[in-house]
Amino acid sequence: MLQSSEARLERWERKVEWPLTALAVLFLVAYAWQVFDDHGSMHVTLEIVLWLVWAVFAAEYLVRLTLADNKIWFLKTHLFDLAAVVLPMVRQLRVLRLITVITLLNKKFQHKIRQRVSIYVAGVTIIVVFCASLAVLDAERHAENASITTFGDALWWTLTTMSTVGYGDRFPVTGDGRLVAGLLMIGGIALLGVITGTIASWLVEKLRGVEEAELETAQELRSLRAEIAELRAELKARSSS
């Protein structure tokens, strides 16, 4: 039954893969536009777009939960997806809406370009840095005594925090901003683990390919030696006769 459930889930995920990826990109663009154009004429429209896209994400999660025969197993194995859908509903945690985008885009490209390690690492890093910068700027810029008031400030803070340098010239003062900081610290460690694992997996595959090529070469050499020995024996037999 579990295998049947997994098969249905895989078919559904393949079916909605590209539409969800496109919505994730739309979500990121709308959120970035809203942050950069603070209190602009499009603010309300962009907010509606963000919630509509989030509603699609939530509905897609519920569909997957419905397709699963073992609901408890599904919930246990998709806790991060559940958090990405539920947490942004809390007004104080609205900056976590970008977790959904990061999750979807990472799922989309992780297995597609894993063999191109440099592209994967660069892509994930850029997405995390950009999203974290948007989130902390959204949370901090209107706070009293805020030191992160421009996107440049946010980007600099994100880079120093993610790299664990932490100069301390820029720092969050709000609860939302500190939440983003905590997640970024944890995410930086997790990203490092992903990078390390991806590189290790890629190296193992390459080394396995080299070993297999060496074995094939050795087998071919043995076959050639056997053929040469047979030819020599045949020539020797002919010359003696």
Side-chain angles (χ1 to χ4, degrees):
M1 182 176 292
L2 186 58
Q3 292 180 351
S4 175
S5 172
E6 291 178 349
R8 291 201 303 270
L9 285 174
E10 288 179 1
R11 287 195 298 270
W12 169 257
E13 289 175 351
R14 287 196 300 269
K15 184 177 180 179
V16 300
E17 183 179 26
W18 279 109
L20 287 180
T21 302
L23 285 176
V25 174
L26 174 62
F27 190 100
L28 182 57
V29 171
Y31 184 77
W33 188 349
Q34 189 183 62
V35 172
F36 289 139
D37 189 26
D38 188 31
H39 299 305
S41 59
M42 293 291 293
H43 187 84
V44 175
T45 302
L46 293 171
E47 187 71 15
I48 293 174
V49 171
L50 290 173
W51 281 113
L52 287 176
V53 175
W54 173 86
V56 175
F57 292 154
E60 193 274 335
Y61 178 84
L62 291 177
V63 169
R64 285 189 289 150
L65 178 61
T66 303
L67 290 175
D69 292 328
N70 190 331
K71 304 296 190 293
I72 303 300
W73 168 82
F74 180 85
L75 291 172
K76 288 181 178 179
T77 55
H78 295 78
L79 290 176
F80 193 79
D81 291 347
L82 177 61
V85 170
V86 174
L87 290 180
M89 293 179 64
V90 183
R91 176 66 181 176
Q92 290 77 11
L93 302 179
R94 70 192 189 98
V95 295
L96 298 186
R97 290 181 295 185
L98 290 175
I99 291 178
T100 307
V101 176
I102 296 174
T103 302
L104 285 171
L105 294 180
N106 184 61
K107 282 182 179 179
K108 173 64 184 173
F109 295 109
Q110 182 177 13
H111 301 295
K112 300 294 184 183
I113 60 175
R114 183 173 58 84
Q115 293 178 340
R116 300 180 180 180
V117 180
S118 59
I119 298 177
Y120 174 72
V121 171
V124 172
T125 303
I126 290 173
I127 291 173
V128 171
V129 168
F130 185 65
C131 290
S133 300
L134 288 175
V136 76
L137 177 61
D138 189 25
E140 290 289 310
R141 60 183 166 191
H142 298 304
E144 185 178 357
N145 299 323
S147 61
I148 303 174
T149 57
T150 67
F151 185 72
D153 294 338
L155 184 60
W156 172 249
W157 171 83
T158 300
L159 292 174
T160 56
T161 301
M162 191 173 182
S163 61
T164 69
V165 174
Y167 283 109
D169 55 340
R170 297 287 186 271
F171 52 89
V173 296
T174 66
D176 281 0
R178 288 169 180 166
L179 177 61
V180 174
L183 292 174
L184 184 61
M185 294 173 192
I186 297 173
I189 297 174
L191 180 60
L192 180 61
V194 170
I195 293 171
T196 304
T198 302
I199 293 175
S201 176
W202 178 76
L203 288 175
V204 168
E205 288 185 1
K206 291 297 183 182
L207 290 175
R208 184 182 295 118
V210 171
E211 291 177 355
E212 292 176 354
E214 289 179 349
L215 289 174
E216 291 178 359
T217 302
Q219 182 64 34
E220 290 177 357
L221 287 174
R222 285 193 293 269
S223 299
L224 288 173
R225 287 174 180 173
E227 291 178 2
I228 291 172
E230 290 178 1
L231 289 173
R232 286 178 177 175
E234 184 178 348
L235 290 174
K236 185 176 181 181
R238 290 181 179 180
S239 61
S240 62
S241 62

